[in-house]
Amino acid sequence: MASIEVKEVIEHPIKLRVMRLGKPVMFNSKVVTCDSKDLPGTVFNTQLKKDVTALADAETLAAGSFLMVPNVLENLYLGETFLCYIYLKNESSQTVYDIILKAEIDTATSHIPILGPKAFPKLDPYASIDVIVKHEVKEHGSVNKLICQVEYDRKHSFETIFSYRVPKPLDLKTKFYNTVTDEVYLEVQVQNIMSTPISLEKFILESSVGYNVISMNHLLESSDNKSIFGDMDILDVKETRQYMYRLSLDQTAEKNPTRTNNLGKLDILWRSNMGTKGQIQSSPLVRQVIS
Amino acid sequence: MDRKTPELRPAINEYFKDPSPSSNLFDNISSHATAESKREEPAVCRIFQQIETKKTDIFDIIKPPENNHNNSPAFDVQEPTFLNTGNDNVDLMDIFNHEYELSSIPAEDERRRFAWIPSVKTKNTLEKASQMNHTLPKDMLTMPGVENVNFTTKLYENLVSYLGEAEAAPFKSKNIEKVTQDEQGLKLLIEDNNFSEALNLTTRLLGMYGQGPGQMGYPSKHTKSSLQLWFTRFALLVKICAWKIISKEALAWDDLDRPDLYMQWYKDLYGNKYGTLVPFSFRLILAELPQYVISSTNVYNKLFEILVGVKKIISNLDNGLTEDGRNVELTIQDRNTSKLLWYSREAKVIHSIINCAVNQKDFKLAIKLLKDLIETPRLKYTTEHSRSLLSAMGRICLQVGDLKAHGYFLKSSRLKPQLQGTMVENKADYRELIDAALLAIAQNNYKEAYKHFENAYLMESNKVMVALNNMATCLFYEGQLNNAITLLEDAIQRFPDLALNESLLSNICCFYQFQNSASNKQRLLKYHIISKYKNSVTDVIN
């Protein structure tokens, strides 16, 4: 997906550009070295040493700190934050007055204003108005639009539409196992269906009132609650994890007779490139009671 | 873009005149930067450098002896040991604890560098070679040939259309005919960053070995020199990203294990010497290729094969044998020097695998291997190298969004040499600032990141460009496109040789494009600068 979408309306003196921003990426240098007794001598090594994108004192490791604005953006997923640069420039030699800038998100089900209407008394020749808008994506689908509207000189107006898709990030599957003791075992399968590996920073089951939850995802013999998934929280592309929980009725809350079949919900937080954050909560997990 | 557009000419000068006073946001930066010309070269990790000097300071990643002379001031205070591993039981080659004389007898040196263990099949063939008549079936020969490609850069031509011939003339790069047609000439072209002409020269020189265009698949003779030419060619092809050409030419080399690539095969030429004709770097570069070629099925196979080979050699050395497992007496010096060489080659291969893994987004593998390098080092690292490894770890973690990066950055900080006996405030050094800034970005705090980068820049470190580029990036994400552009333009003007690299130009082009796509004076700037300083960015041929 191209990261820049330029919409130009030629007849207007001010032009609006919109660019969805993904987190910057770290550029990893290309490492070419050789023995100093090989034909090229020390040339390649010197070039690498001078390469600003290389990692000083360990140049043969491509893990520099040189940031790049990504040329190709990762998808924007449900639960992540839509971040967009709105750039409004006066490209004429005349000052433009009374500018009003407005932005809203248009999804299949709702209109969400995310900017303004914001008024600017004037825009000098070749000057610009720069705004970064943010929006937490709470709805997935393929018909999301950012609509920016500009009014100026109290009579002219135009709008720019930036469309984007919001695919689902994770595939969640749940299974309940009812026991005779009125305990419920819950198995959750989570699969990373994004195009990039992620770090699962948080994956918890928040139980409803009246239930106690015991996470069964730690090694029994370890003293420090070691996760059965090891010490890396990385979930690769297409990788699946299985979590297991035991839910029991909260005895102290017995006075409350409203026993619900809603056991709780999952709260999941992940991060990907350079800390790109995403967070989702599952819909209520409802136990099916076999009658 | 190809049109002659004379009305655009003044625009070039615009870019190269003094920065406008209006950019006072960066004034303090600018004034500070004037002292930059005195910057020293960074101490580099020459881990593959050949053993030439007699002291143990040849590998910079290894803890140097006391009389360490050429490091920058920040490195002067010696850290007594590698601190954070908690792995004191690991026997880190004792030899580094003593003033140890390395062996540099040419014959030994050659044996070490070119040692390689042939596969069983090849070994059998080689052993029989002395008895049987000296021919191989065609399918056991290595029969390379260069692709018929003439490499050109279009920079000069582009420049002529903008500037006219007279003004563009100084930017015309050295022609292949202007250098001697041999390895010396080749070296000159490479030093001149004229990779295209250097490649054309390798085509010519390899033609003399019967390995020129169209000669792939025909028998030819290999020597150490021809293999060096091939290595150089491949290194250059990698540098200019000519993946299609390189993957075609790589086919003939297979896994570099055919009998005709061993010295044993050429008794008349190499007498009773053992070893391969293939430079180690060539082996590695071929193994790194699959990750750049889309059709590859397993990008790691060849890399791990090399790692296994290196480990075998190390274990042979440990068991009192020669590198390739022959039972020949080696002096202690000789053996230890060889161990040093092969340990450092082992590290280099692991680095390559890590790079490949990061490239493939196999972060688990990258992190695991790097963790190994950090926690169980085979060599005694310099403090700076240890810190670099930890920083690398943190950065790789950040690439997959793992904020545990913070822990690694902290460990790196703790290794920082302390100024002993003084009460000087323990200020963050360049590395700490960069790491802190990266972490701030992961937490969406671009303002704080900017401050850290700015402080790093003000330290006058060797790597100002990283700080400047990253400051510009932060400004952009803060909605200050114009300031970001001003900053980068200013940086290019001040440090053209450092600033000119593909990544920085890619950033500035992205900003330009966003700012005003109708104008092409920006692209003009790009060409102008590239040709003016003509290196770093080659006109990619694909």
Side-chain angles (χ1 to χ4, degrees):
Chain A
M1 189 201 293
S3 59
I4 298 179
E5 182 157 312
V6 180
K7 290 270 165 91
E8 284 179 25
V9 183
I10 306 302
E11 57 268 29
H12 296 288
I14 50 179
K15 283 181 187 165
L16 181 69
R17 290 188 179 76
V18 175
M19 179 178 184
R20 179 162 85 77
L21 299 178
K23 282 266 184 141
V25 291
M26 276 188 269
F27 180 81
N28 294 319
S29 51
K30 203 188 298 162
V31 177
V32 177
T33 58
C34 65
D35 279 0
S36 62
K37 281 190 185 165
D38 285 336
L39 194 161
T42 52
V43 189
F44 290 151
N45 299 2
T46 313
Q47 284 170 351
L48 181 62
K49 180 168 74 175
K50 281 190 186 158
D51 184 347
V52 297
T53 61
L55 173 65
D57 299 304
E59 283 83 355
T60 48
L61 265 182
S65 53
F66 198 93
L67 295 176
M68 306 244 300
V69 180
N71 282 325
V72 179
L73 278 189
E74 293 287 347
N75 281 327
L76 178 71
Y77 293 97
L78 179 69
E80 293 184 343
T81 303
F82 174 82
L83 194 65
C84 208
Y85 199 130
I86 298 177
Y87 184 73
L88 189 63
K89 188 179 181 190
N90 180 356
E91 292 191 349
S92 74
S93 50
Q94 310 290 319
T95 303
V96 178
Y97 295 94
D98 298 318
I99 297 137
I100 295 168
L101 178 62
K102 196 171 107 183
E104 61 181 30
I105 300 270
D106 193 7
T107 71
T109 60
S110 53
H111 281 294
I112 308 147
I114 56 169
L115 175 72
K118 216 173 164 182
F120 302 88
K122 63 167 188 167
L123 189 58
D124 289 331
Y126 307 111
S128 65
I129 293 168
D130 302 60
V131 186
I132 304 241
V133 291
K134 267 185 200 177
H135 166 64
E136 274 179 34
V137 180
K138 294 193 173 116
E139 197 175 338
H140 72 91
S142 53
V143 285
N144 298 280
K145 287 177 196 148
L146 170 73
I147 303 168
C148 301
Q149 287 175 323
V150 179
E151 275 178 51
Y152 65 96
D153 290 350
R154 294 174 193 270
K155 54 187 175 201
H156 300 291
S157 72
F158 61 91
E159 69 172 32
T160 289
I161 297 174
F162 180 93
S163 311
Y164 58 97
R165 293 174 54 231
V166 180
K168 275 192 192 167
L170 300 168
D171 187 42
L172 288 172
K173 288 196 182 97
T174 52
K175 254 189 206 170
F176 295 98
Y177 301 92
N178 296 307
T179 66
V180 283
T181 56
D182 230 1
E183 280 182 338
V184 184
Y185 288 87
L186 171 63
E187 183 191 327
V188 184
Q189 265 186 28
V190 53
Q191 186 183 25
N192 175 7
I193 52 173
M194 293 178 250
S195 58
T196 173
I198 53 164
S199 288
L200 262 188
E201 200 169 292
K202 186 165 106 182
F203 193 98
I204 53 170
L205 175 64
E206 282 177 356
S207 58
S208 304
V209 179
Y211 285 96
N212 280 329
V213 61
I214 297 165
S215 164
M216 301 170 75
N217 306 300
H218 298 279
L219 292 177
L220 287 177
E221 67 269 30
S222 76
S223 50
D224 50 349
N225 255 359
K226 239 181 165 173
S227 162
I228 54 164
F229 302 110
D231 50 4
M232 271 194 256
D233 298 322
I234 297 169
L235 197 63
D236 277 327
V237 177
K238 299 265 178 283
E239 188 182 346
T240 303
R241 272 189 184 185
Q242 260 164 303
Y243 289 85
M244 193 80 186
Y245 300 93
R246 189 171 78 206
L247 291 139
S248 55
L249 286 175
D250 187 348
Q251 300 304 325
T252 56
E254 221 173 356
K255 292 163 216 157
N256 189 351
T258 52
R259 266 179 57 189
T260 154
N261 283 328
N262 170 11
L263 303 182
K265 59 190 178 199
L266 292 161
D267 190 4
I268 307 166
L269 191 157
W270 73 90
R271 287 181 197 269
S272 56
N273 171 50
M274 277 309 277
T276 306
K277 192 173 106 180
Q279 185 161 23
I280 51 173
Q281 286 194 335
S282 71
S283 45
L285 303 171
V286 180
R287 166 165 66 156
Q288 279 167 7
V289 184
I290 306 142
S291 51
Chain B
M1 287 303 295
D2 294 320
R3 279 175 304 127
K4 189 159 183 164
T5 46
E7 71 279 6
L8 280 175
R9 275 196 212 170
I12 301 166
N13 302 330
E14 254 175 57
Y15 282 107
F16 284 88
K17 72 187 180 194
D18 283 329
S20 62
S22 64
S23 64
N24 54 5
L25 169 61
F26 301 107
D27 272 358
N28 53 347
I29 299 167
S30 313
S31 61
H32 205 89
T34 48
E36 280 305 317
S37 55
K38 279 183 249 156
R39 279 193 331 272
E40 277 173 33
E41 290 273 87
V44 75
C45 141
R46 279 167 281 164
I47 75 174
F48 288 109
Q49 206 130 343
Q50 195 37 52
I51 297 164
E52 286 175 307
T53 48
K54 293 204 167 186
K55 300 287 191 224
T56 49
D57 62 352
I58 46 152
F59 298 97
D60 282 4
I61 66 162
I62 299 165
K63 184 179 176 287
E66 288 300 295
N67 57 348
N68 180 17
H69 47 89
N70 58 355
N71 281 348
S72 54
F75 304 48
D76 273 358
V77 183
Q78 291 297 316
E79 195 72 8
T81 47
F82 186 80
L83 287 177
N84 77 320
T85 67
N87 247 313
D88 294 337
N89 53 344
V90 179
D91 186 21
L92 296 170
M93 298 216 56
D94 290 348
I95 54 171
F96 304 114
N97 297 332
H98 312 295
E99 188 74 354
Y100 179 71
E101 295 282 317
L102 290 169
S103 128
S104 61
I105 300 163
E108 292 180 354
D109 183 58
E110 199 191 359
R111 190 208 67 240
R112 270 197 288 279
R113 285 180 58 217
F114 290 98
W116 195 252
I117 305 171
S119 66
V120 177
K121 188 184 166 199
T122 303
K123 202 176 170 190
N124 290 339
T125 315
L126 287 170
E127 274 162 9
K128 279 184 222 144
S130 46
Q131 298 137 30
M132 65 182 203
N133 65 350
H134 223 70
T135 49
L136 276 175
K138 213 176 166 192
D139 62 350
M140 285 179 73
L141 289 171
T142 311
M143 298 180 288
V146 304
E147 286 291 298
N148 194 3
V149 181
N150 187 37
F151 295 90
T152 52
T153 58
K154 297 190 186 74
L155 288 177
Y156 173 72
E157 286 76 6
N158 277 319
L159 211 60
V160 169
S161 63
Y162 289 118
L163 300 174
E165 261 179 59
E167 227 184 308
F171 307 130
K172 200 166 182 174
S173 50
K174 216 176 261 169
N175 190 282
I176 184 170
E177 311 299 344
K178 301 273 166 59
V179 298
T180 53
Q181 304 293 296
D182 57 11
E183 297 183 359
Q184 277 316 309
L186 184 54
K187 263 181 152 169
L188 276 178
L189 290 171
I190 299 172
E191 272 165 28
D192 206 34
N193 281 295
N194 192 345
F195 297 152
S196 301
E197 287 293 70
L199 278 164
N200 292 336
L201 186 51
T202 59
T203 306
R204 266 191 209 180
L205 295 175
L206 285 167
M208 297 178 196
Y209 286 91
Q211 300 172 352
Q215 290 176 302
M216 186 191 269
Y218 293 95
S220 56
K221 200 169 177 183
H222 303 283
T223 66
K224 279 190 172 173
S225 309
S226 69
L227 264 298
Q228 288 288 345
L229 280 173
W230 275 106
F231 162 64
T232 310
R233 181 176 173 88
F234 271 52
L236 292 168
L237 288 172
V238 168
K239 277 187 173 263
I240 65 166
C241 304
W243 307 122
K244 271 186 195 154
I245 298 169
I246 199 170
S247 38
K248 274 188 198 154
E249 294 185 2
L251 288 176
W253 295 99
D254 200 21
D255 45 8
L256 296 167
D257 183 57
R258 306 240 167 106
D260 57 351
L261 294 180
Y262 288 88
M263 289 189 229
Q264 296 93 304
W265 186 251
Y266 305 95
K267 294 256 190 262
D268 45 335
L269 201 59
Y270 296 107
N272 280 324
K273 284 181 185 164
Y274 286 78
T276 174
L277 301 173
V278 183
F280 185 76
S281 324
F282 188 31
R283 203 174 284 284
L284 197 57
I285 223 167
L286 271 176
E288 286 171 342
L289 280 187
Q291 62 184 301
Y292 301 113
V293 184
I294 301 151
S295 60
S296 309
T297 47
N298 192 332
V299 294
Y300 299 107
N301 262 355
K302 287 190 167 193
L303 285 165
F304 277 107
E305 274 168 21
I306 296 186
L307 188 59
V308 168
V310 174
K311 282 183 186 292
K312 261 188 211 157
I313 286 175
I314 291 173
S315 104
N316 283 341
L317 286 166
D318 284 342
N319 292 325
L321 304 169
T322 59
E323 292 86 354
D324 54 1
R326 285 171 299 130
N327 202 349
V328 177
E329 191 76 12
L330 303 181
T331 65
I332 299 170
Q333 276 182 16
D334 187 4
R335 182 175 303 281
N336 283 334
T337 312
S338 192
K339 278 189 193 175
L340 259 184
L341 174 69
W342 285 96
Y343 274 140
S344 70
R345 283 184 172 177
E346 184 190 29
K348 166 71 171 144
V349 179
I350 296 173
H351 287 187
S352 287
I353 299 174
I354 293 172
N355 296 346
C356 179
V358 170
N359 224 344
Q360 304 289 316
K361 295 197 170 183
D362 281 337
F363 295 109
K364 284 183 184 172
L365 177 64
I367 289 172
K368 198 169 178 309
L369 288 172
L370 192 49
K371 215 170 179 178
D372 258 16
L373 277 183
I374 292 169
E375 289 176 358
T376 50
R378 297 270 220 148
L379 296 161
K380 207 141 210 166
Y381 301 143
T382 60
T383 309
E384 283 310 305
H385 184 68
S386 303
R387 294 190 62 197
S388 282
L389 292 183
L390 287 163
S391 287
M393 184 71 143
R395 291 166 192 185
I396 292 172
C397 283
L398 285 184
Q399 288 188 40
V400 64
D402 190 345
L403 297 190
K404 284 204 285 289
H406 183 53
Y408 294 106
F409 292 153
L410 267 183
K411 276 187 187 167
S412 164
S413 290
R414 281 193 216 114
L415 286 182
K416 190 170 66 164
Q418 304 291 322
L419 292 170
Q420 282 157 5
T422 54
M423 296 302 285
V424 181
E425 190 196 346
N426 198 4
K427 268 172 75 177
D429 67 5
Y430 180 81
R431 183 188 303 283
E432 285 173 293
L433 288 168
I434 296 285
D435 287 346
L438 294 175
L439 200 65
I441 288 174
Q443 291 155 337
N444 279 327
N445 195 340
Y446 291 96
K447 275 205 180 71
E448 192 187 317
Y450 179 89
K451 264 186 227 148
H452 289 314
F453 285 132
E454 189 179 30
N455 287 333
Y457 168 75
L458 294 172
M459 287 189 135
E460 271 193 74
S461 156
N462 304 311
K463 300 263 177 182
V464 282
M465 232 37 245
V466 173
L468 287 171
N469 170 74
N470 291 0
M471 282 158 72
T473 309
C474 288
L475 287 176
F476 177 68
Y477 280 86
E478 281 286 298
Q480 300 185 40
L481 175 65
N482 295 339
N483 288 336
I485 289 176
T486 315
L487 178 69
L488 282 187
E489 283 174 349
D490 185 59
I492 292 174
Q493 192 165 317
R494 284 176 187 282
F495 316 108
D497 51 333
L498 288 172
L500 283 164
N501 61 78
E502 271 170 279
S503 356
L504 188 128
L505 288 177
S506 158
N507 271 345
I508 200 166
C509 282
C510 169
F511 296 158
Y512 280 152
Q513 201 187 347
F514 189 51
Q515 188 189 40
N516 185 353
S517 63
S519 159
N520 56 10
K521 67 181 177 182
Q522 286 88 12
R523 223 172 277 182
L524 184 63
L525 166 76
K526 180 180 168 184
Y527 279 126
H528 186 80
I529 295 167
I530 292 172
S531 46
K532 181 160 184 182
Y533 303 104
K534 77 182 168 216
N535 52 18
S536 303
V537 182
T538 320
D539 219 21
V540 177
I541 46 148
N542 48 16

